[in-house]
Amino acid sequence: MAVRDYNTLIRRIEAAASLPNAKVEQIGSFNSEGRRYPMYCVTIGEHSWSLKSVMIDAGIHGDEPAGVEAALSFVEQSAGNESLLTRCTFTVLPCNNPTGWELDTRENIRGIDLNREFNILRPAAEAKIIAQALTGKCFDLVFEMHEDVDSPGFYMYEIADDPAAYIGERIIEAAKAAGYPINLADCIEGAPAKGGLIRPAIVKFRKTRLPLAIHAWRTCGGHVITLEPPASRLSLAQRVDIQLMGLAIAIDSLSAAG
Ligand SMILES: [Zn+2]
């Protein structure tokens, strides 16, 4: 049973085309239950080698709506921010699992976890569209907006080629200072964690059935951050707030790094 209507989201995404410095591109579409589902990429700013490039993606798990809301809010708030756009350009994939988003399910309507569909022989249509849209693209920062429905507090993943670029502690500190609960377990989702921060061991990454974060990192390296606000503990607005706060810190440190 659908709890959200993708058509309303389509209207909101397409409306971003009228924002200054924003372009909306349909990166592909697929059919499901007699309906056509277009997928989108929104870019803000003109790509240039002198600017840092940031990719933001959300909604690959359909039951994580705060990411979709945060990604679109970021587009709407940032497109007119000329000073930000003298430092960075943005590539935003706002809703990577349209049918799951409508049904409020982690998987798509066919029961596939799209975040395990990268670097496989026959990926689901959505993952194929995303991978094609990202082919040949490279980013200084990949920012993934997820949520965790079971976690008692906020946590995050961070991978960076250069440990000097690590900013996870700053993001966790900011969330704590804002009064949000942090997941302090020393093991989260099967991975060693410290103070709400998971830094996966790169050598242990599998080679196939990749999540988008690992796929993006394998393609080009750089700095990949995944935020996991606790969906059962905080309101949608609070989870969106964590995403946007974390993103602001990541962008700030990126442009400060020169
Ligand atoms: Zn997720």
Side-chain angles (χ1 to χ4, degrees):
M1 223 2 213
V3 300
R4 290 181 278 268
D5 179 3
Y6 190 58
N7 286 322
T8 60
L9 203 69
I10 289 176
R11 284 193 286 277
R12 187 172 169 194
I13 294 168
E14 290 189 341
S18 63
L19 298 169
N21 310 302
K23 285 196 194 90
V24 176
E25 186 196 347
Q26 214 188 97
I27 53 174
S29 67
F30 62 95
N31 291 308
S32 173
E33 311 276 303
R35 261 178 74 190
R36 194 178 72 86
Y37 288 82
M39 290 176 65
Y40 294 91
C41 174
V42 184
T43 54
I44 321 177
E46 286 295 329
H47 186 75
S48 147
W49 294 113
S50 61
L51 303 179
K52 299 287 185 185
S53 60
V54 180
M55 172 181 130
I56 299 164
D57 69 87
I60 198 160
H61 292 140
D63 58 347
E64 301 173 7
V68 176
E69 179 57 38
L72 283 171
S73 297
F74 177 81
V75 166
E76 289 155 0
Q77 291 164 16
S78 307
N81 186 339
E82 303 289 343
S83 89
L84 177 66
L85 299 177
T86 60
R87 293 179 278 129
C88 303
T89 59
F90 299 91
T91 299
V92 184
L93 301 170
C95 185
N96 284 331
N97 180 0
T99 59
W101 182 82
E102 284 192 323
L103 296 167
D104 199 41
T105 55
R106 175 181 175 92
E107 296 83 7
N108 72 1
I109 195 168
R110 293 168 55 220
I112 298 169
D113 184 342
L114 298 174
N115 209 27
R116 303 289 181 270
E117 288 283 299
F118 292 87
N119 214 27
I120 65 173
L121 205 51
R122 288 183 195 82
E126 299 91 324
K128 193 173 174 182
I129 290 167
I130 297 162
Q132 273 171 358
L134 297 177
T135 299
K137 295 200 170 79
C138 218
F139 302 96
D140 296 291
L141 172 71
V142 171
F143 197 90
E144 293 237 328
M145 295 172 162
H146 281 254
E147 304 194 58
D148 190 311
V149 286
D150 308 312
S151 176
F154 169 58
Y155 67 94
M156 59 174 281
Y157 297 86
E158 181 171 40
I159 313 165
D161 291 336
D162 178 5
Y166 282 152
I167 51 155
E169 286 84 355
R170 273 182 65 192
I171 294 176
I172 299 278
E173 274 310 313
K176 203 191 287 178
Y180 297 125
I182 309 297
N183 186 336
L184 296 173
D186 52 17
C187 179
I188 302 175
E189 296 287 312
K194 198 175 165 193
L197 190 48
I198 302 168
R199 293 212 170 100
I202 290 164
V203 288
K204 291 186 182 161
F205 287 166
R206 55 175 180 259
K207 306 283 195 278
T208 185
R209 294 220 154 264
L210 300 179
L212 180 52
I214 308 297
H215 172 71
W217 185 81
R218 273 208 180 285
T219 307
C220 170
H223 194 175
V224 181
I225 289 173
T226 303
L227 297 197
E228 301 273 0
S232 60
R233 292 287 308 275
L234 300 175
S235 69
L236 182 77
Q238 290 172 315
R239 282 132 57 199
V240 170
D241 185 43
I242 290 181
Q243 301 281 8
L244 294 177
M245 192 164 63
L247 180 56
I249 291 169
I251 292 168
D252 182 54
S253 71
L254 191 67
S255 38

